[in-house]
Amino acid sequence: MTLAQRAMKQLEVWPDLSSGPASCGAGRALRSVHSEIVHFHSDHDVDLHLTVSAIRRFHADLQESTAIRLVPGSGWVTVHLDCDTDVDLLMSLVSAALKAHQNMPSPAGKRPAGDECNFRRVTVLHRR
């Protein structure tokens, strides 16, 4: 079982999340009643809808992590799962994302412009 599969299996049992296809067309997504929260794009790469305000709040810590990729202006972060600690980081960030989305108004219909995940906007260089 890959790290992404293990993380997905753990998150699928969270009562606030449900599984389905990712809106970007690549992989599986977990969503809350408010929006898509996590996209599993590959065995190692996961996009997390953390929100712009949460990214701003945690920016210094996110920048320090070798597992996190940021795209300026995006409300999503890419988490590269390379070890068990990265899965633990993802679990913590999903909790933060769920909390951040609870404080946002529910979207009426279409997603706002610029609210797409980082798929194909982030290049992850694999560690040796």
Side-chain angles (χ1 to χ4, degrees):
M1 179 178 293
T2 68
L3 292 170
Q5 290 169 331
R6 192 179 69 160
M8 177 107 175
K9 190 174 186 110
Q10 289 176 23
L11 289 168
E12 281 179 321
V13 299
W14 288 23
D16 295 338
L17 295 173
S18 59
S19 177
S23 62
C24 66
R28 299 292 296 167
L30 294 172
R31 64 173 297 110
S32 71
V33 295
H34 300 284
S35 74
E36 289 185 353
I37 302 293
V38 187
H39 287 182
F40 289 86
H41 294 303
S42 73
D43 290 342
H44 293 282
D45 298 315
V46 178
D47 279 344
L48 174 66
H49 195 184
L50 195 51
T51 74
V52 171
S53 62
I55 291 171
R56 239 181 273 137
R57 190 169 49 252
F58 302 126
H59 191 265
D61 293 320
L62 294 171
Q63 267 191 316
E64 292 296 315
S65 173
T66 58
I68 303 291
R69 303 297 178 266
L70 301 170
V71 173
S74 177
W76 294 73
V77 298
T78 300
V79 182
H80 183 72
L81 304 175
D82 202 34
C83 62
D84 291 338
T85 305
D86 297 338
V87 174
D88 295 340
L89 173 62
L90 175 65
M91 297 298 147
S92 296
L93 290 175
V94 169
S95 290
L98 286 169
K99 184 172 175 114
H101 282 273
Q102 286 175 349
N103 299 325
M104 294 176 63
S106 293
K110 202 175 172 188
R111 293 182 309 182
D115 199 29
E116 300 85 19
C117 75
N118 293 339
F119 185 64
R120 293 192 181 102
R121 295 174 21 181
V122 170
T123 302
V124 176
L125 301 176
H126 298 282
R127 299 178 208 151
R128 291 181 184 214

